[in-house]
């Protein structure tokens, strides 16, 4: 059976990860204007075109930088009228009027690193992939990204841009501002895990985010205005000494934050305290693998209030979480923190 051909333009973090994820099940052809990136892609066993020729590709993913996206989409839809052309841009409204068989897309995945050297095939597993189109072409894109573990979500371009302004764009602006306000020249920062975790995204490329802020200007400004109002409210309660009122406010926010984890994964978290010894990480994941339990996500938590280093394990259901707790609990070397969020 002939594999469906998929083209990918731009082989950075997103395009490179997409190529690696699709490579086994599809006939993938990639292109990047940078010769060194093309060579790096070949070393990862990605077939690369030298002249941006996608041939008879059924779907073409445009993964170029956002400032080059419109030109690239116009070129692709004109040159390949029979192919479904989709993109991965973090904003959707500026490209909504693209002609041809264009379907807007945005994978809600990434890291603070960029380039093909940071690409990994599992980047999109359990990540939302927003699709801003309808019909058979949109369903084809959804089926393709679903095959690599992403979770397709359909919404309009306008709804997408409002949502990402609140949940992604404004938080990046806040993270940059928080670093600028806290880390002063000549000072000796004593940043703990809370500050490091909160500002991790401030290590992202400034050029990329300045473009995003410009393209989604009104929505970002609106989200920042709402955040400023909430921050002023917190400041006011602290200034007036309204401890009970402040606690109630913080508790409401904590509950909302906990609900995000449950709605995101459909399950709950399990913390496993790590013993400081060689092979501890492999021991924990090995116990879960041998029990036949799927991990939706895993993260190292270097330090938590009231606890030392730990692994945060996330499962797709409460039942899987309980099975994992039981398996780890029966392992005599394991130390489990059974707390749930919220």
């Amino acid at each position: 059976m002939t594999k469906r051909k998929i083209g990918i333009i731009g082989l950075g973090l997103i395009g490179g990860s997409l190529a690696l994820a699709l490579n086994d099940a599809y006939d993938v052809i990639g292109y990047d204007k940078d010769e060194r990136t093309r060579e790096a892609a070949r070393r990862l066993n990605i077939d690369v075109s030298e002249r941006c020729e996608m041939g008879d590709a059924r779907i073409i993913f445009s993964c170029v930088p956002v400032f080059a996206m419109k030109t690239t989409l116009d070129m692709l839809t004109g040159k390949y009228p029979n192919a479904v052309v989709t993109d991965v841009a973090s904003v959707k409204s500026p490209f909504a009027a693209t002609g041809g068989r264009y379907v807007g897309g945005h994978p809600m995945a990434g890291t603070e690193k960029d380039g093909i050297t940071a690409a990994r095939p599992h980047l999109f597993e359990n990540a939302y992939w927003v699709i801003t189109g309808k019909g058979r072409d949109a369903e084809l894109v959804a089926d393709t990204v679903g095959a690599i573990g992403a979770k397709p979500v359909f919404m309009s371009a306008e709804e997408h841009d409002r949502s990402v302004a609140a949940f992604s764009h404004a938080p990046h602006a806040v993270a940059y501002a928080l670093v600028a306000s806290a880390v002063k020249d000549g000072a000796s920062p004593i940043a703990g895990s809370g500050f490091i975790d909160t500002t991790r995204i401030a290590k992202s490329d400034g050029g990329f985010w300045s473009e995003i802020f410009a393209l989604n200007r009104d929505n970002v400004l609106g989200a920042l205005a709402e955040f400023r109002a909430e921050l002023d409210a917190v400041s006011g309660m602290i200034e007036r000494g309204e401890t009970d009122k402040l606690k109630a406010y913080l508790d409401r926010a904590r509950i909302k934050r906990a609900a995000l984890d449950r709605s995101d994964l459909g399950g709950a978290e399990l913390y496993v305290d790590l013993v400081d010894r060689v092979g501890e990480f492999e021991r924990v994941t090995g116990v879960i693998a041998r029990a036949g339990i799927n991990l939706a996500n895993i993260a190292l938590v270097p330090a938590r209030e009231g606890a030392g280093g730990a692994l945060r394990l996330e499962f797709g259901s409460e039942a899987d979480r309980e099975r994992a707790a039981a398996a780890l609990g029966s392992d005599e070397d394991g130390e489990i923190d059974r707390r749930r969020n919220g």
Side-chain angles (χ1 to χ4, degrees):
M1 181 177 179
T2 302
K3 292 182 178 179
R4 179 183 297 162
K5 188 169 185 178
I6 294 180
I8 302 174
I9 309 295
L11 297 173
L13 170 66
I14 299 298
S17 296
L18 186 58
L20 292 174
L22 293 168
N23 223 6
D24 289 339
Y26 299 90
D27 179 11
V28 175
I29 182 71
Y31 172 77
D32 195 284
K33 68 177 182 179
D34 184 81
E35 183 178 353
R36 292 171 299 179
T37 298
R38 295 198 300 271
E39 285 301 317
R42 290 191 181 96
R43 290 194 292 271
L44 294 172
N45 296 317
I46 300 170
D47 288 337
V48 176
S49 168
E50 285 295 323
R51 296 180 178 81
C52 192
E53 295 296 333
M54 297 292 102
D56 58 349
R58 179 82 180 279
I59 306 175
I60 304 175
F61 288 85
S62 178
C63 304
V64 301
V66 68
F67 62 81
M69 187 62 75
K70 186 177 188 309
T71 299
T72 303
L73 290 176
D74 289 343
M75 180 275 290
L76 291 172
T77 53
K79 187 174 181 179
Y80 301 101
N82 295 322
V84 174
V85 175
T86 187
D87 69 325
V88 297
S90 299
V91 288
K92 299 271 63 85
S93 296
F95 315 116
T98 300
R101 298 179 66 183
Y102 169 70
V103 175
H106 177 206
M108 304 297 291
T111 72
E112 66 275 11
K113 299 178 181 179
D114 56 18
I116 194 166
T117 56
R120 57 183 190 268
H122 305 300
L123 182 66
F124 308 109
E125 288 187 0
N126 296 300
Y128 290 126
W129 194 300
V130 177
I131 297 173
T132 59
K134 296 180 179 180
R136 294 179 62 183
D137 289 347
E139 292 293 343
L140 179 61
V141 174
D143 289 344
T144 304
V145 301
I148 58 173
K151 299 177 179 179
V153 178
F154 294 87
M155 61 178 64
S156 69
E158 294 77 11
E159 182 184 2
H160 168 273
D161 289 356
R162 287 194 301 270
S163 295
V164 293
F167 288 106
S168 177
H169 301 173
H172 274 80
V174 170
Y176 287 116
L178 185 56
V179 171
S181 68
V183 183
K184 304 295 184 183
D185 292 339
S188 298
I190 53 171
S193 60
F195 184 87
I196 297 301
D197 290 346
T198 303
T199 60
R200 175 187 58 81
I201 54 178
K203 295 191 293 182
S204 302
D205 180 66
F208 170 81
W209 280 103
S210 61
E211 287 284 341
I212 293 298
F213 295 156
L215 284 170
N216 202 20
R217 176 180 178 274
D218 291 345
N219 288 314
V220 172
L221 288 175
L224 287 174
E226 291 189 19
F227 172 75
R228 191 178 298 112
E230 295 293 338
L231 196 60
D232 286 344
V234 172
S235 179
M237 285 182 278
I238 295 172
E239 182 179 5
R240 294 186 297 272
E242 298 172 342
T243 305
D244 291 343
K245 187 176 180 180
L246 178 60
K247 180 182 181 302
Y249 178 95
L250 299 179
D251 282 342
R252 287 194 299 272
R254 176 180 59 81
I255 291 169
K256 289 180 179 180
R257 174 60 184 85
L260 290 178
D261 288 327
R262 289 190 289 273
S263 65
D264 195 23
L265 295 170
E269 298 177 343
L270 176 68
Y271 284 95
V272 180
D273 292 323
L274 294 178
V275 180
D276 186 9
R277 61 189 173 198
V278 175
E280 181 69 358
F281 182 93
E282 289 80 2
R283 181 193 67 80
V284 172
T285 55
V287 169
I288 293 173
R290 287 191 295 274
I293 304 167
N294 183 57
L295 270 171
N297 201 0
I298 185 170
L300 178 65
V301 184
R304 293 175 289 147
E305 288 188 349
L311 285 179
R312 184 176 71 245
L313 310 177
E314 300 174 352
F315 300 92
S317 70
E318 184 67 23
D320 281 350
R321 179 197 182 283
E322 294 300 331
R323 288 176 59 211
L328 289 164
S330 65
D331 185 71
E332 62 183 16
D333 292 328
E335 297 181 32
I336 303 173
D337 178 349
R338 297 177 181 275
R339 291 182 295 174
R340 295 174 175 83
N341 274 351

